[in-house]
Amino acid sequence: MLLATLAGLAAAIWAFGSIGFGSVVAVAGRIGAGGFSLYCLWSIGVFGVLGAAWLAVAIGEPIRLLGRFSWARAVREAVADLLPFSQIGGIVVGVRTLLSRGIPTSRIYASFVVDMTTEMAAQLVFTLFGLAMMITMLAAGGHAASLRPLILGGTAVMIAVMILFFAGQRPALGLAGRIAHHFLPGSGAAMTGIADELRYIYARRWRVTFGFLLNLAGWVGTAIGSWVVLRMMGADISIWSALSLESLIFTLRSVAFAIPGAIGVQEAAYALVGPLFGVAPETALALSLAKRARDLAVGLPTIIIWQLGEARALVFAARKA
């Protein structure tokens, strides 16, 4: 992970150095404080949609817990974007956030597995849309053709991961149960509970479908936020082109899931892919810079509040003991 992070930093330095950091900052400054605040509020709203997607497959939990599930998603993203834990660390922390809320453990883990599956399926649909748009709009462009193998390869990796994740859920739970029972006698019951909860959730297909649609809305909503930022910067780009651009950026970020915050990958991707959709390199990098600033403005307070909550729980546990 350290080597990957260093490689990502090198890519980021190359991207900003080749375009000119001063020109990128100048373009980003066109957003203004009001526009940036609007962007942050829009992103917080997207967390509400993603929290609803998770809650939709946590069958048995009331709608009044929407705030808790949205908060868990916000913490997950903040940890993945700002702390050196990669996406996997963010997932672990996001799940842990709900474990202390009195929700049955088996329901949290099972609903998380289903939510991850529907999230990846929604991203795949969004990515295929982006590829179709790219091929339709840029079929004659040689520069686009040079990037096509990279984007298609990233999509293939996403498809493979989604298939393996979906097909391996039950066998993996069975294997994990046997290993846990060997080292921790009695833990097999917990694995059985998760498997039973999974079967219960998948039997309610309309809830799984609803979760998928909400996750798809989350991807689209995030991309629309980027389109608004690009327009505030003065970029003449249609919403369809922005959706296509963002779907391809998300794909390349997903392939780099082991790099914390996809450092460098996001910047290099914007510098290379942005011009294909008529976005100047400095404007594309300014969007990436705005996203990083948004991650800090929203994610840093989230992490601080989360840590304060963890400290309070430790103090309470110590007093109780």
Side-chain angles (χ1 to χ4, degrees), residues 148-160:
R148 208 167 290 151
L150 178 62
I151 296 170
L152 290 173
T155 305
V157 170
M158 285 175 52
I159 294 173

Side-chain angles (χ1 to χ4, degrees), residues 71 78 296 298-312:
W71 172 250
L296 283 172
V298 176
L300 192 57
T302 299
I303 290 177
I304 292 174
I305 295 172
W306 163 62
Q307 282 291 286
L308 290 175
E310 290 285 318
R312 190 183 304 113

Side-chain angles (χ1 to χ4, degrees), residues 17-320:
S18 61
I19 304 301
F21 188 72
S23 60
V24 173
V25 172
V27 174
R30 297 174 187 170
I31 304 174
F36 182 69
S37 299
L38 176 64
Y39 183 39
C40 292
L41 290 174
W42 181 272
S43 300
I44 293 172
V46 171
F47 285 135
V49 175
L50 296 177
W54 191 352
L55 179 60
V57 295
I59 300 175
E61 297 304 318
I63 189 65
R64 59 182 173 80
L65 295 183
L66 175 59
R68 292 184 179 179
F69 280 83
S70 300
W71 172 250
R73 279 306 306 255
V75 172
R76 168 183 157 185
E77 296 299 325
V79 170
D81 289 334
L82 300 181
L83 298 182
F85 296 147
S86 78
Q87 293 293 328
I88 298 174
I91 289 170
V92 172
V93 173
V95 170
R96 174 179 167 79
T97 303
L98 283 179
L99 289 175
S100 60
R101 300 299 181 179
I103 304 171
T105 302
S106 59
R107 184 171 299 163
I108 292 175
Y109 283 116
S111 63
F112 161 73
V113 169
V114 178
D115 182 54
M116 279 289 294
T117 304
T118 57
E119 182 183 4
M120 288 191 293
Q123 185 179 5
L124 178 59
V125 170
F126 193 42
T127 298
L128 293 177
F129 160 78
L131 285 173
M133 287 291 294
M134 186 190 76
I135 293 172
T136 300
M137 298 169 58
L138 308 169
H143 189 39
S146 66
L147 286 178
R148 208 167 290 151
L150 178 62
I151 296 170
L152 290 173
T155 305
V157 170
M158 285 175 52
I159 294 173
V161 170
M162 189 189 73
I163 292 174
L164 290 173
F165 190 79
F166 183 79
Q169 287 176 11
R170 293 180 182 176
L173 280 173
L175 176 62
R178 289 191 292 273
I179 294 173
H181 181 71
H182 178 74
F183 290 101
L184 298 171
S187 61
M191 292 298 178
T192 302
I194 296 174
D196 291 341
E197 192 75 29
L198 270 176
R199 284 190 289 268
Y200 181 75
I201 295 172
Y202 280 124
R204 276 72 180 167
R205 296 183 180 179
W206 74 271
R207 293 288 292 265
V208 177
T209 301
F210 188 43
F212 164 80
L213 292 175
L214 286 172
N215 272 313
L216 183 59
W219 288 112
V220 174
T222 301
I224 290 176
S226 298
W227 173 70
V228 172
V229 171
L230 286 171
R231 296 292 294 181
M232 287 190 291
M233 291 177 180
D236 184 17
I237 181 173
S238 69
I239 188 170
W240 299 111
S241 295
L243 290 174
S244 182
L245 169 63
E246 287 299 282
S247 70
L248 301 181
I249 297 297
F250 292 149
T251 299
L252 297 177
R253 277 184 58 106
S254 297
V255 175
F257 66 90
I259 303 177
I263 297 175
V265 176
Q266 175 176 294
E267 286 71 24
Y270 271 116
L272 294 172
V273 180
L276 303 182
F277 295 90
V279 180
E282 60 270 20
T283 303
L285 278 176
L287 173 58
S288 179
L289 194 63
K291 284 188 172 184
R292 298 295 186 190
R294 183 271 321 269
D295 291 342
L296 283 172
V298 176
L300 192 57
T302 299
I303 290 177
I304 292 174
I305 295 172
W306 163 62
Q307 282 291 286
L308 290 175
E310 290 285 318
R312 190 183 304 113
L314 289 174
V315 172
F316 178 77
R319 289 178 178 177
K320 190 176 180 179

